[in-house]
Amino acid sequence: MPETPEVRPPVVTPVRVVIALCLVAPFAAMLWVGSYAKTDPAFIGIPFFYWYQMLWVLISTALTMLAYQLWQRDQRARKAARDGGAAK
């Protein structure tokens, strides 16, 4: 009896696009210096230029954690699909 060929899930999925956007957003925000190269508005006496960058440290951390969690979920789903498909 001939075996059916293995069907692989697509490499680019919506979840992986979201992961990529989470990882690229901080770079895009920091490389666009013209958007934050100013002193106003100040926050507790700290010029915008500085507190905006420090805020992105926190945002980058949250986005990286989100990307990691999404990646782990994606990998578990792919493994389950692969193992579930092989058990049939």
Side-chain angles (χ1 to χ4, degrees):
M1 196 149 96
E3 288 206 18
T4 58
E6 181 181 334
V7 177
R8 291 184 169 185
V11 175
V12 179
T13 62
V15 172
R16 288 185 173 193
V17 170
V18 170
I19 291 169
L21 289 174
C22 286
L23 296 175
V24 169
F27 289 104
M30 291 293 93
L31 289 175
W32 185 23
V33 179
S35 69
Y36 62 92
K38 52 190 173 186
T39 57
D40 290 328
F43 177 68
I44 59 170
I46 302 170
F48 181 75
F49 181 79
Y50 295 111
W51 69 258
Y52 178 82
Q53 291 176 71
M54 294 310 295
L55 180 64
W56 268 102
V57 170
L58 299 175
I59 293 169
S60 298
T61 302
L63 289 174
T64 303
M65 288 173 27
L66 176 62
Y68 177 75
Q69 293 297 322
L70 289 172
W71 180 258
Q72 291 298 319
R73 189 177 76 177
D74 183 58
Q75 293 303 302
R76 281 192 304 269
R78 285 176 178 265
K79 185 176 186 306
R82 185 181 65 235
D83 293 346
K88 290 183 181 179

